[in-house]
Amino acid sequence: MHKGNFYAGLPDAAQDEVIEVLAAMRGRAVRIERIVSEGQASPPGFWYDQPWDEWVVVVRGGAEVAFEDPASVERLSPGDWLLIPAGRRHRVESTWPGTLWLAVHGDSADAPPA
């Protein structure tokens, strides 16, 4: 068993966003991350195009996530979450200072249809 506190020991993200793997499930394609953002955004023209699903929730702060096709922007406040399907091109358009995210990455092969 492993135990921790999500808010304890937050790294300094003043220069760069910090992504920390909190847990990876043995024998499964699942990774849980804590992301600390201090106003960072994806570089201009950069798009994430991941071969896995990603579920994110903003725990503190706020962010805007842009999607390529169809073009849209989702504004996230504390408690707002997104399920980003594998292959859906997206980018972090902006983050507020002090933003804290929880991200879960994983293969959706065993997931029920949405």
Side-chain angles (χ1 to χ4, degrees), residues 18-91:
V18 177
I19 300 171
E20 299 175 301
V21 176
L22 298 179
M25 308 304 174
R26 226 179 267 163
R28 296 185 160 258
V30 176
R31 188 175 71 251
I32 301 169
E33 298 173 339
R34 174 174 70 177
I35 304 170
V36 182
S37 304
E38 292 288 345
Q40 288 89 1
S42 298
F46 174 83
W47 293 92
Y48 289 99
D49 190 357
Q50 303 165 158
W52 57 80
D53 294 336
E54 180 179 8
W55 180 88
V56 295
V57 62
V58 170
V59 177
R60 183 174 73 196
E64 292 179 328
V65 179
F67 293 91
E68 185 181 49
D69 188 25
S72 66
V73 175
E74 294 291 333
R75 186 177 181 146
L76 303 174
S77 297
D80 292 338
W81 59 269
L82 285 173
L83 177 60
I84 305 167
R88 180 82 195 270
R89 288 170 55 96
H90 63 285
R91 55 181 276 108

Side-chain angles (χ1 to χ4, degrees), residues 95-109:
T95 61
W96 291 215
T99 297
L100 186 58
W101 313 67
L102 176 66
V104 180
H105 302 265
D107 185 354
S108 63

